[in-house]
Amino acid sequence: WNIIGADDCDIEGKQSYEYATPYEVVYDCMEVFDVRFVWKTRTKQLIVRIPNKITPAGKYISDQLNLKALTFQGSSMSFATRLYAYGKDGLSIASENDGKPYVENNAYSDKVIVAYWSDERYTIAKNLKEAAEKKLDALSVPTRSYECSVKDLAKQTAKYDILSIGMHDKMTLISSERKMRVVYSVVKYTEYPDN
């Protein structure tokens, strides 16, 4: 197997595993190092993608060109603007955060909505604070997902190669009917080769 893209990973230290299967190690890497994998079994390639390093490349899905249908799902069940974070043995981020045991993100809402998070893997307050800020970035906006049915024009003609759709690509979703323009990542892609 060839591993592509692992050189871009920022790995500080090593994780040790005792009695773990290769499957468990690979999927633990997704959580610990915040990476995603694209498996290409025919060519025996594993492509490592780092979501926060993937930038929009001008690719878009538009109801005026390649979008056939759009459905939307949203949830605010895990929404929070303030996160209290604790590590191993009650470790707090207060020493790294001006005495406050919490981080805040009011980019979406001014309301104070509190959540608590504990992760025994953290033994250093600075690392815990960085992880808490990253976690709160995700929690501080309501969860939204879009399911799009698209014509993959890039597979029909080379003229539209710029619009090719791949796993974890950042795509701009444009809907003139709903008056929206948002950038989202492709997290699931289903092909119907007979159609």
PDB file of all heavy atoms in Angstrom, residues 66-82:
ATOM      1  N   ASN A  66     -25.520  22.316 -12.135  1.00  0.00           N
ATOM      2  CA  ASN A  66     -25.347  20.885 -11.894  1.00  0.00           C
ATOM      3  C   ASN A  66     -26.122  20.332 -10.694  1.00  0.00           C
ATOM      4  O   ASN A  66     -26.051  19.159 -10.413  1.00  0.00           O
ATOM      5  CB  ASN A  66     -23.861  20.555 -11.741  1.00  0.00           C
ATOM      6  CG  ASN A  66     -23.166  21.408 -10.697  1.00  0.00           C
ATOM      7  OD1 ASN A  66     -23.744  22.322 -10.119  1.00  0.00           O
ATOM      8  ND2 ASN A  66     -21.903  21.121 -10.463  1.00  0.00           N
ATOM      9  N   LEU A  67     -26.867  21.157  -9.979  1.00  0.00           N
ATOM     10  CA  LEU A  67     -27.646  20.707  -8.821  1.00  0.00           C
ATOM     11  C   LEU A  67     -29.039  20.294  -9.272  1.00  0.00           C
ATOM     12  O   LEU A  67     -29.780  21.100  -9.825  1.00  0.00           O
ATOM     13  CB  LEU A  67     -27.730  21.825  -7.773  1.00  0.00           C
ATOM     14  CG  LEU A  67     -28.525  21.537  -6.501  1.00  0.00           C
ATOM     15  CD1 LEU A  67     -27.868  20.414  -5.707  1.00  0.00           C
ATOM     16  CD2 LEU A  67     -28.619  22.798  -5.646  1.00  0.00           C
ATOM     17  N   LYS A  68     -29.394  19.007  -9.034  1.00  0.00           N
ATOM     18  CA  LYS A  68     -30.718  18.514  -9.425  1.00  0.00           C
ATOM     19  C   LYS A  68     -31.714  18.601  -8.280  1.00  0.00           C
ATOM     20  O   LYS A  68     -32.873  18.914  -8.492  1.00  0.00           O
ATOM     21  CB  LYS A  68     -30.627  17.063  -9.915  1.00  0.00           C
ATOM     22  CG  LYS A  68     -29.776  16.906 -11.156  1.00  0.00           C
ATOM     23  CD  LYS A  68     -29.899  15.543 -11.827  1.00  0.00           C
ATOM     24  CE  LYS A  68     -29.569  14.395 -10.932  1.00  0.00           C
ATOM     25  NZ  LYS A  68     -29.496  13.106 -11.633  1.00  0.00           N
ATOM     26  N   ALA A  69     -31.277  18.294  -7.056  1.00  0.00           N
ATOM     27  CA  ALA A  69     -32.167  18.325  -5.887  1.00  0.00           C
ATOM     28  C   ALA A  69     -31.347  18.632  -4.642  1.00  0.00           C
ATOM     29  O   ALA A  69     -30.169  18.289  -4.561  1.00  0.00           O
ATOM     30  CB  ALA A  69     -32.887  16.992  -5.734  1.00  0.00           C
ATOM     31  N   LEU A  70     -32.004  19.289  -3.665  1.00  0.00           N
ATOM     32  CA  LEU A  70     -31.325  19.686  -2.446  1.00  0.00           C
ATOM     33  C   LEU A  70     -32.246  19.476  -1.254  1.00  0.00           C
ATOM     34  O   LEU A  70     -33.398  19.910  -1.274  1.00  0.00           O
ATOM     35  CB  LEU A  70     -30.936  21.173  -2.530  1.00  0.00           C
ATOM     36  CG  LEU A  70     -30.342  21.826  -1.292  1.00  0.00           C
ATOM     37  CD1 LEU A  70     -28.962  21.249  -0.996  1.00  0.00           C
ATOM     38  CD2 LEU A  70     -30.231  23.338  -1.505  1.00  0.00           C
ATOM     39  N   THR A  71     -31.745  18.774  -0.231  1.00  0.00           N
ATOM     40  CA  THR A  71     -32.486  18.642   1.023  1.00  0.00           C
ATOM     41  C   THR A  71     -31.570  19.121   2.146  1.00  0.00           C
ATOM     42  O   THR A  71     -30.349  19.025   2.055  1.00  0.00           O
ATOM     43  CB  THR A  71     -32.939  17.192   1.302  1.00  0.00           C
ATOM     44  OG1 THR A  71     -31.796  16.333   1.290  1.00  0.00           O
ATOM     45  CG2 THR A  71     -33.948  16.722   0.281  1.00  0.00           C
ATOM     46  N   PHE A  72     -32.168  19.633   3.202  1.00  0.00           N
ATOM     47  CA  PHE A  72     -31.436  20.255   4.291  1.00  0.00           C
ATOM     48  C   PHE A  72     -31.843  19.620   5.604  1.00  0.00           C
ATOM     49  O   PHE A  72     -33.010  19.331   5.826  1.00  0.00           O
ATOM     50  CB  PHE A  72     -31.755  21.755   4.306  1.00  0.00           C
ATOM     51  CG  PHE A  72     -31.398  22.456   5.571  1.00  0.00           C
ATOM     52  CD1 PHE A  72     -30.101  22.825   5.832  1.00  0.00           C
ATOM     53  CD2 PHE A  72     -32.366  22.767   6.519  1.00  0.00           C
ATOM     54  CE1 PHE A  72     -29.766  23.483   7.000  1.00  0.00           C
ATOM     55  CE2 PHE A  72     -32.048  23.421   7.688  1.00  0.00           C
ATOM     56  CZ  PHE A  72     -30.741  23.781   7.922  1.00  0.00           C
ATOM     57  N   GLN A  73     -30.868  19.400   6.484  1.00  0.00           N
ATOM     58  CA  GLN A  73     -31.144  18.938   7.839  1.00  0.00           C
ATOM     59  C   GLN A  73     -30.348  19.816   8.789  1.00  0.00           C
ATOM     60  O   GLN A  73     -29.202  20.168   8.510  1.00  0.00           O
ATOM     61  CB  GLN A  73     -30.721  17.485   8.033  1.00  0.00           C
ATOM     62  CG  GLN A  73     -31.597  16.492   7.342  1.00  0.00           C
ATOM     63  CD  GLN A  73     -31.145  15.073   7.634  1.00  0.00           C
ATOM     64  OE1 GLN A  73     -30.017  14.829   8.023  1.00  0.00           O
ATOM     65  NE2 GLN A  73     -32.046  14.127   7.445  1.00  0.00           N
ATOM     66  N   GLY A  74     -30.957  20.157   9.905  1.00  0.00           N
ATOM     67  CA  GLY A  74     -30.263  20.977  10.887  1.00  0.00           C
ATOM     68  C   GLY A  74     -30.631  20.559  12.296  1.00  0.00           C
ATOM     69  O   GLY A  74     -31.690  19.984  12.526  1.00  0.00           O
ATOM     70  N   SER A  75     -29.739  20.871  13.224  1.00  0.00           N
ATOM     71  CA  SER A  75     -29.983  20.542  14.618  1.00  0.00           C
ATOM     72  C   SER A  75     -29.198  21.489  15.501  1.00  0.00           C
ATOM     73  O   SER A  75     -28.068  21.867  15.175  1.00  0.00           O
ATOM     74  CB  SER A  75     -29.560  19.103  14.909  1.00  0.00           C
ATOM     75  OG  SER A  75     -29.616  18.849  16.293  1.00  0.00           O
ATOM     76  N   SER A  76     -29.793  21.876  16.603  1.00  0.00           N
ATOM     77  CA  SER A  76     -29.072  22.710  17.568  1.00  0.00           C
ATOM     78  C   SER A  76     -28.975  21.989  18.915  1.00  0.00           C
ATOM     79  O   SER A  76     -28.782  22.609  19.950  1.00  0.00           O
ATOM     80  CB  SER A  76     -29.774  24.061  17.721  1.00  0.00           C
ATOM     81  OG  SER A  76     -31.098  23.876  18.161  1.00  0.00           O
ATOM     82  N   MET A  77     -29.079  20.670  18.902  1.00  0.00           N
ATOM     83  CA  MET A  77     -29.047  19.876  20.137  1.00  0.00           C
ATOM     84  C   MET A  77     -27.716  20.030  20.888  1.00  0.00           C
ATOM     85  O   MET A  77     -27.698  20.097  22.098  1.00  0.00           O
ATOM     86  CB  MET A  77     -29.288  18.399  19.829  1.00  0.00           C
ATOM     87  CG  MET A  77     -30.703  18.096  19.380  1.00  0.00           C
ATOM     88  SD  MET A  77     -31.906  18.332  20.679  1.00  0.00           S
ATOM     89  CE  MET A  77     -31.493  16.993  21.756  1.00  0.00           C
ATOM     90  N   SER A  78     -26.600  20.066  20.170  1.00  0.00           N
ATOM     91  CA  SER A  78     -25.301  20.156  20.841  1.00  0.00           C
ATOM     92  C   SER A  78     -24.718  21.568  20.757  1.00  0.00           C
ATOM     93  O   SER A  78     -23.531  21.769  20.971  1.00  0.00           O
ATOM     94  CB  SER A  78     -24.327  19.153  20.222  1.00  0.00           C
ATOM     95  OG  SER A  78     -24.134  19.447  18.860  1.00  0.00           O
ATOM     96  N   PHE A  79     -25.540  22.546  20.484  1.00  0.00           N
ATOM     97  CA  PHE A  79     -25.105  23.933  20.343  1.00  0.00           C
ATOM     98  C   PHE A  79     -24.643  24.503  21.685  1.00  0.00           C
ATOM     99  O   PHE A  79     -25.291  24.308  22.707  1.00  0.00           O
ATOM    100  CB  PHE A  79     -26.271  24.762  19.791  1.00  0.00           C
ATOM    101  CG  PHE A  79     -25.955  26.214  19.605  1.00  0.00           C
ATOM    102  CD1 PHE A  79     -25.110  26.624  18.599  1.00  0.00           C
ATOM    103  CD2 PHE A  79     -26.516  27.172  20.433  1.00  0.00           C
ATOM    104  CE1 PHE A  79     -24.817  27.962  18.416  1.00  0.00           C
ATOM    105  CE2 PHE A  79     -26.227  28.511  20.265  1.00  0.00           C
ATOM    106  CZ  PHE A  79     -25.386  28.912  19.252  1.00  0.00           C
ATOM    107  N   ALA A  80     -23.489  25.188  21.684  1.00  0.00           N
ATOM    108  CA  ALA A  80     -22.967  25.814  22.907  1.00  0.00           C
ATOM    109  C   ALA A  80     -22.090  26.997  22.525  1.00  0.00           C
ATOM    110  O   ALA A  80     -21.466  27.006  21.464  1.00  0.00           O
ATOM    111  CB  ALA A  80     -22.163  24.810  23.721  1.00  0.00           C
ATOM    112  N   THR A  81     -22.052  27.999  23.400  1.00  0.00           N
ATOM    113  CA  THR A  81     -21.173  29.152  23.186  1.00  0.00           C
ATOM    114  C   THR A  81     -20.088  29.244  24.253  1.00  0.00           C
ATOM    115  O   THR A  81     -19.172  30.033  24.129  1.00  0.00           O
ATOM    116  CB  THR A  81     -21.981  30.464  23.176  1.00  0.00           C
ATOM    117  OG1 THR A  81     -22.668  30.600  24.418  1.00  0.00           O
ATOM    118  CG2 THR A  81     -22.969  30.487  22.018  1.00  0.00           C
ATOM    119  N   ARG A  82     -20.213  28.463  25.303  1.00  0.00           N
ATOM    120  CA  ARG A  82     -19.204  28.425  26.374  1.00  0.00           C
ATOM    121  C   ARG A  82     -18.929  26.962  26.713  1.00  0.00           C
ATOM    122  O   ARG A  82     -19.853  26.194  26.943  1.00  0.00           O
ATOM    123  CB  ARG A  82     -19.696  29.163  27.610  1.00  0.00           C
ATOM    124  CG  ARG A  82     -18.685  29.158  28.758  1.00  0.00           C
ATOM    125  CD  ARG A  82     -19.196  29.893  29.973  1.00  0.00           C
ATOM    126  NE  ARG A  82     -19.242  31.325  29.709  1.00  0.00           N
ATOM    127  CZ  ARG A  82     -19.692  32.223  30.570  1.00  0.00           C
ATOM    128  NH1 ARG A  82     -20.146  31.840  31.761  1.00  0.00           N
ATOM    129  NH2 ARG A  82     -19.694  33.493  30.266  1.00  0.00           N
TER     130      ARG A  82
END
